[in-house]
Amino acid sequence: MNQIASQAKEILLSAFSKSASDIHFSPDENNTDIHFRVYGERHFYKSLPTPTYQKLLAYFKFTSGMDIGEITKPQNASLQHRDQFQLYHLRLSTLPTINNAESLAIRILPPQDHVNLARLFLFPYQIRIIRNWMIHKSGMILFTGSTGCGKTTTIYSLLETILQEHSIQAVTLEDPVEKNLNNIIQVQINERAGITYDVGLKAALRHDPDLIMVGEIRDEETARFAVRAALSGHLIVSTIHAKDAYGTVQRLKEMGIKTVDLEQTLIAIASQELVRTNLTNDVPKRAAILEILHNSALQAAIHSIPPQNDSSFVPFSALRRKAYALGYWKN
């Protein structure tokens, strides 16, 4: 086991050194290829004999608290790894494949204790906008975007920034908890133990929260309860999968949320995307831009009117042109 633990540590340290955001283990009958995703691009790292990978997989499953004997169902867990300098938060996910094999993906979360909002976004004015949303006492703020675009990192940074400035009771419901936050009640969703998002939301409301962060609105039941919580005087911040900011409104309607409830609860929607930068090494090599839907453009979208003609709405295409013209962005 010591040898397997050393191999696991070597892979993790190599990924950290290359600023990888993900590690992918792809097994076949004889070999397992390992790839790192670095600044959005997938790079081959090395190949291992599949029997060696099976031992590594068992090691990662054991140390993260997964069921080692379960190979027919997907599993998710989180893990922390400390090197000489920093503490890294890892999110692990297994997926059964053919021939009784399992693939493993490890998401590497930013190691900083607090990720400064100014380091996340390309345009400072967008930071000011989303910070202003957080002054609301009730309502719903949603972030959408593709997997790995930094939605959760943005929300974490927002929460930490607000907590530095105000004393609030904040509760998070996550599956899994991606990063331990100080002075915040964090709840791990565990559907096998009966702790679903719906159950967690009901329990969270008994803790007198000012703000509830829901890791993801993924079904009608969670969407309806989040709206009810917002209507009852709580600020809800969450993520949802949708094509873009306008599509988020349509997605909520498909989940059975009434137009009148959207009018009463939705504060804003931000669709997030990462772009490569031409900036110095003092800042990330990728930064976020936001397609923001709020104010009159949001109200129009709730009534199924596309926001393109509203001056408060700036689509991704215009944001990319602006970034390119300012010399921030490269293809």
Side-chain angles (χ1 to χ4, degrees):
M1 180 60 74
N2 287 338
Q3 183 180 358
I4 294 300
S6 296
Q7 284 186 301
K9 182 178 180 180
E10 176 192 334
I11 293 169
L12 290 175
L13 291 179
S14 295
F16 300 158
S17 69
K18 297 178 185 298
S19 300
S21 61
D22 300 86
I23 307 172
H24 300 159
F25 296 84
S26 304
D28 61 25
E29 188 173 348
N30 299 312
N31 296 295
T32 296
D33 290 339
I34 304 174
H35 291 81
F36 295 160
R37 188 177 297 283
V38 181
Y39 301 120
E41 295 187 359
R42 197 166 180 257
H43 300 275
F44 177 76
Y45 171 56
K46 69 178 180 179
S47 185
L48 295 174
T50 291
T52 302
Y53 163 66
Q54 293 295 340
K55 295 177 183 178
L56 270 173
L57 176 63
Y59 172 81
F60 279 120
K61 290 172 75 172
F62 175 76
T63 55
S64 64
M66 291 187 192
D67 184 350
I68 295 179
E70 178 58 74
I71 64 172
T72 61
K73 297 179 181 178
Q75 296 189 73
N76 297 288
S78 56
L79 183 66
Q80 294 182 347
H81 182 89
R82 183 180 292 279
D83 67 6
Q84 186 178 356
F85 305 103
Q86 294 176 313
L87 178 66
Y88 290 84
H89 299 268
L90 311 176
R91 189 174 69 190
L92 290 76
S93 175
T94 64
L95 187 65
T97 63
I98 60 175
N99 300 323
N100 294 320
E102 289 179 282
S103 67
L104 172 66
I106 301 177
R107 169 65 53 83
I108 303 170
L109 300 168
Q112 296 96 330
D113 290 334
H114 171 63
V115 181
N116 193 306
L117 278 172
R119 291 179 59 86
L120 292 178
F121 291 93
L122 202 60
F123 300 120
Y125 80 91
Q126 295 195 322
I127 300 172
R128 293 192 293 271
I129 289 173
I130 62 175
R131 285 192 58 174
N132 286 337
W133 295 343
M134 304 299 287
I135 66 175
H136 289 266
K137 299 297 184 182
S138 65
M140 192 159 58
I141 300 166
L142 298 178
F143 289 84
T144 188
S146 61
T147 300
C149 73
K151 300 185 295 294
T152 303
T153 300
T154 294
I155 293 177
Y156 277 165
S157 184
L158 265 177
L159 290 180
E160 291 178 307
T161 299
I162 297 304
L163 280 167
Q164 288 175 356
E165 301 170 353
H166 306 282
S167 177
I168 63 171
Q169 172 82 324
V171 179
T172 75
L173 307 172
E174 304 172 71
D175 183 19
V177 172
E178 297 189 359
K179 180 181 177 182
N180 293 332
L181 302 173
N182 295 327
N183 302 314
I184 292 179
I185 301 171
Q186 292 181 272
V187 179
Q188 171 77 51
I189 298 301
N190 185 342
E191 294 188 357
R192 287 186 298 177
I195 305 176
T196 63
Y197 275 117
D198 191 46
V199 170
L201 269 169
K202 291 176 182 176
L205 290 178
R206 302 187 189 104
H207 282 255
D208 187 32
D210 298 297
L211 182 151
I212 301 175
M213 189 273 263
V214 180
E216 181 184 348
I217 294 177
R218 59 177 60 162
D219 54 39
E220 293 182 11
E221 191 173 31
T222 306
R224 288 183 180 132
F225 198 88
V227 168
R228 288 201 298 273
L231 285 170
S232 65
H234 299 85
L235 182 61
I236 306 295
V237 181
S238 187
T239 70
I240 186 170
H241 282 289
K243 181 180 178 181
D244 50 30
Y246 178 70
T248 300
V249 177
Q250 310 312 312
R251 178 92 194 279
L252 289 169
K253 288 184 176 181
E254 290 173 0
M255 288 181 168
I257 307 302
K258 297 178 181 178
T259 297
V260 64
D261 289 336
L262 293 175
E263 288 177 332
Q264 294 295 315
T265 59
L266 269 182
I267 296 169
I269 299 170
S271 183
Q272 184 161 316
E273 182 178 289
L274 293 177
V275 297
R276 293 191 178 195
T277 67
N278 278 326
L279 303 182
T280 69
N281 292 330
D282 294 329
V283 297
K285 293 183 180 178
R286 291 198 298 172
I289 56 176
L290 293 174
E291 192 178 74
I292 292 172
L293 195 58
H294 66 161
N295 299 337
S296 58
L298 175 60
Q299 292 304 310
I302 290 172
H303 293 279
S304 300
I305 302 172
Q308 277 71 15
N309 293 328
D310 193 297
S311 60
S312 69
F313 178 77
V314 183
F316 279 130
S317 56
L319 291 169
R320 293 190 204 99
R321 286 196 301 269
K322 181 178 179 180
Y324 186 80
L326 294 171
Y328 293 156
W329 176 61
K330 61 182 178 181
N331 287 309

